């Protein structure tokens, strides 16, 4: 029986993963950990145990690992790209010292670890189209720097200490349960909320800005699948490129307008634009598809239809 710890359990991915994994393994076997109390939609019955803690508290984390006899950690606690440019010191501390705390515990207690990297690991000198798995990684954001360093740390702990750590380079994630916060791709989520609520959105990137994106059900599937794959299939121990859809802001607006014709989007690009311009437009994830059978389900049309239906509900 697995006992699973999810750090960042209150975030965009964590708040969905906690219910998904609870359904598979029993809610009592999935322990959430975050700085804040669970969001209102997580019903008490869907959450086994929940701990309020900072991932930089290594002694506290160790106590939780021992108390619950944890065998798997999904270490999702992280600051995102836009916040990272405003709080670079905190971003370094949380994203890297938090990861090192988890990897040290994994080494000591033989724990399997999932850790999210991002398309932010790439930078202006990486190819922007069909970005390969192995390429130049020279990000120009603090968030991206922590993702590259974190990937190398994961790879190091695997080869040096045999820690079974697995990772994905997530694109921008779109979901209807929990809004992201402090990311550059957040516009692609906020736009749906505002389209339903006010039929108007002010977008902080230019209309032609094209980025890799993914609907949350696909992201959850990829996360669960890579962790369930047998170890010999996981050949990349830095982080796997992961891809589903790629669209520009104006293409997303056009898709939403098919369902809400009166929707209006105005564009007021701000500091997010420079971050978006430093990232790939689409990435090549053929290695993930080959190694552990990754496949996505949702294209832009299917995702838009589902998002709007769920948000209206
Ligand atoms: C962000 O925009 O910072 C994140 C990411 C792509 O990692 N959504």
């Amino acid at each position: 029986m697995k006992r699973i710890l999810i750090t960042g359990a209150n975030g965009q991915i964590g708040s969905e993963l906690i219910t998904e994994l609870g359904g598979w393994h029993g809610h009592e076997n999935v322990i959430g950990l975050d700085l804040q109390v669970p969001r209102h939609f997580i019903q008490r019955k869907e959450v086994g145990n929940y701990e309020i803690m900072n991932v930089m508290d290594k002694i506290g984390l160790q106590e939780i690992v021992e108390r619950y006899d944890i065998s798997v950690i999904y270490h999702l606690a992280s600051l995102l790209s836009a916040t990272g440019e405003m709080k670079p010191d905190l971003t370094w501390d949380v994203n890297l010292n938090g990861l090192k705390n988890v990897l040290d515990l994994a080494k000591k207690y033989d724990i399997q670890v999932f850790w999210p990297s991002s398309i932010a690991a790439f930078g202006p000198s990486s190819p922007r189209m069909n970005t390969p798995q192995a390429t130049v990684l020279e990000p120009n954001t603090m968030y991206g720097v922590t993702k590259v360093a974190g990937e190398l740390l994961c790879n190091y702990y695997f080869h040096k200490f045999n820690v079974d750590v697995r990772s994905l380079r997530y694109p921008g994630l779109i979901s209807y349960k929990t809004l992201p916060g402090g990311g550059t791709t957040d516009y692609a989520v906020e736009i749906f909320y505002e389209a339903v609520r006010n039929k108007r959105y002010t977008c902080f990137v230019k209309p032609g800005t094209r980025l890799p994106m993914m609907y949350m059900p696909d992201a959850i599937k990829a996360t669960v699948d890579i962790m369930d794959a047998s170890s010999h299939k996981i050949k990349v121990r830095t982080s796997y490129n992961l891809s589903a859809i790629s669209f520009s802001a104006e293409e997303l607006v056009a898709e939403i307008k098919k369902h809400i014709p009166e929707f209006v989007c105005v564009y007021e690009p701000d500091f997010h634009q420079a971050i978006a311009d430093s990232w790939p437009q689409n990435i090549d994830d053929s290695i993930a598809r080959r190694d552990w059978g990754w496949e996505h389900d949702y294209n832009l049309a299917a995702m838009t239809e589902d998002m709007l239906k769920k948000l209206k509900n």
Side-chain angles (χ1 to χ4, degrees):
M1 183 195 61
K2 288 185 183 171
R3 308 292 313 272
I4 299 169
L5 178 66
I6 302 177
T7 75
N10 208 18
Q12 193 195 11
I13 306 171
S15 54
E16 303 218 14
L17 196 62
I18 197 166
T19 42
E20 177 78 15
L21 292 177
W24 286 105
H25 299 280
H27 295 293
E28 67 287 2
N29 293 317
V30 182
I31 293 91
L33 183 148
D34 205 296
L35 285 174
Q36 287 155 22
V37 290
R39 291 181 196 274
H40 64 276
F41 72 84
I42 302 178
Q43 313 261 301
R44 213 39 238 175
K45 63 178 166 40
E46 288 183 332
V47 181
N49 299 287
Y50 206 93
E51 301 286 339
I52 308 295
M53 187 174 288
N54 191 321
V55 291
M56 290 190 282
D57 177 358
K58 192 172 184 176
I59 307 285
L61 280 182
Q62 174 162 354
E63 193 275 317
I64 284 169
V65 163
E66 286 183 355
R67 175 150 47 97
Y68 292 103
D69 192 18
I70 296 297
S71 51
V72 182
I73 301 180
Y74 290 79
H75 176 47
L76 306 177
S78 171
L79 273 71
L80 298 183
S81 56
T83 310
E85 293 311 283
M86 287 177 261
K87 300 177 181 171
D89 295 344
L90 185 64
T91 301
W92 178 273
D93 279 348
V94 173
N95 291 13
L96 285 176
N97 295 335
L99 173 61
K100 183 153 186 311
N101 288 343
V102 167
L103 290 173
D104 283 336
L105 290 171
K107 174 182 154 199
K108 185 166 180 188
Y109 296 94
D110 192 19
I111 295 169
Q112 188 195 27
V113 177
F114 175 83
W115 177 74
S117 186
S118 158
I119 52 165
F122 302 111
S125 52
S126 314
R128 290 197 75 200
M129 306 295 287
N130 257 334
T131 312
Q133 174 68 47
T135 187
V136 184
L137 296 176
E138 292 176 339
N140 58 4
T141 61
M142 177 52 92
Y143 176 63
V145 169
T146 66
K147 290 302 177 190
V148 175
E151 288 188 10
L152 295 175
L153 199 62
C154 290
N155 196 47
Y156 179 80
Y157 271 67
F158 172 72
H159 288 289
K160 187 91 178 176
F161 306 122
N162 214 18
V163 172
D164 183 5
V165 50
R166 305 172 183 204
S167 174
L168 299 170
R169 289 176 180 150
Y170 287 126
L173 299 181
I174 295 164
S175 60
Y176 59 88
K177 286 192 184 164
T178 307
L179 276 164
T184 302
T185 58
D186 292 9
Y187 67 89
V189 188
E190 292 168 3
I191 197 169
F192 282 101
Y193 283 72
E194 292 307 311
V196 170
R197 218 171 3 216
N198 300 319
K199 304 195 170 23
R200 191 182 167 82
Y201 180 61
T202 304
C203 183
F204 54 69
V205 296
K206 293 183 202 158
T209 307
R210 177 180 299 278
L211 287 171
M213 301 278 180
M214 182 177 286
Y215 196 31
M216 188 59 88
D218 275 335
I220 296 293
K221 182 173 78 154
T223 308
V224 171
D225 283 358
I226 192 177
M227 288 296 272
D228 284 350
S230 54
S231 191
H232 74 274
K233 290 189 174 172
I234 307 300
K235 310 254 192 280
V236 175
R237 292 291 179 162
T238 49
S239 189
Y240 275 99
N241 276 10
L242 188 74
S243 160
I245 341 170
S246 168
F247 50 80
S248 66
E250 63 191 345
E251 284 167 354
L252 177 58
V253 171
E255 196 61 40
I256 293 174
K257 272 165 134 352
K258 289 183 189 166
H259 302 265
I260 308 176
E262 61 277 38
F263 174 55
V264 175
C265 183
V266 294
Y267 297 91
E268 288 179 13
D270 61 15
F271 74 98
H272 293 90
Q273 187 68 52
I275 302 178
D277 288 344
S278 76
W279 290 350
Q281 297 197 343
N282 54 57
I283 67 173
D284 172 8
D285 64 352
S286 51
I287 305 290
R289 290 175 193 262
R290 181 200 67 192
D291 284 2
W292 45 276
W294 159 242
E295 280 178 3
H296 69 280
D297 292 326
Y298 286 86
N299 60 19
L300 176 58
M303 176 189 77
T304 304
E305 192 182 335
D306 200 59
M307 270 295 281
L308 292 173
K309 195 170 88 191
K310 298 281 171 33
L311 282 177
K312 281 176 187 162
N313 283 346

